[in-house]
Amino acid sequence: LTARPERDAEFIEVVYPPAGPASARPKDFIQHASREYGLVVAGTLTVQVGFDVTTLRAGDSIAFDSVVPHRFWNETAEEVRAVWFIRDLPKAPADGLPAQDPHSILRAHGAVPS
């Protein structure tokens, strides 16, 4: 969705196909040094960050540190569309704020926990 590549950020739309062999729960987790912000535009998306699993519906949003292992999948018969903003984390903390509690990483707004 970005007009041109950004050095340390991505702004993307992802389409998750309806449930089937290609959209079953991924076996592997994703992990990278970033902060992610997501908004489900259409459909229902299942999100797992660490041990927390939640269901996001159209209009729900989420933010979390991507250093925590995470994965997304569509368990429904309907296509899911989501918009993501991913910002790379600085190499060393520059803001002097304490590290976030890993058990409170998942921040879903309007989400229904599974």
Side-chain angles (χ1 to χ4, degrees), residues 6-59:
E6 294 288 328
R7 184 170 166 225
D8 56 358
E10 290 182 80
F11 185 46
I12 58 176
E13 180 180 27
V14 179
V15 176
Y16 301 87
S23 59
R25 178 184 293 216
K27 293 180 184 177
D28 296 325
F29 285 85
I30 305 165
Q31 186 177 20
H32 45 98
S34 303
R35 179 105 177 130
E36 291 192 34
Y37 305 85
L39 170 67
V40 174
V41 178
T44 302
L45 183 67
T46 304
V47 177
Q48 182 174 359
V49 179
F51 294 106
D52 295 325
V53 177
T54 198
T55 302
L56 302 177
R57 292 178 175 76

Side-chain angles (χ1 to χ4, degrees), residues 60-81:
D60 291 344
S61 62
I62 190 168
F64 60 91
D65 288 331
S66 306
V67 295
V68 177
H70 56 285
R71 58 187 174 176
F72 317 104
W73 66 96
N74 177 2
E75 296 181 325
T76 73
E78 175 184 338
E79 180 179 88
V80 176
R81 289 186 318 123

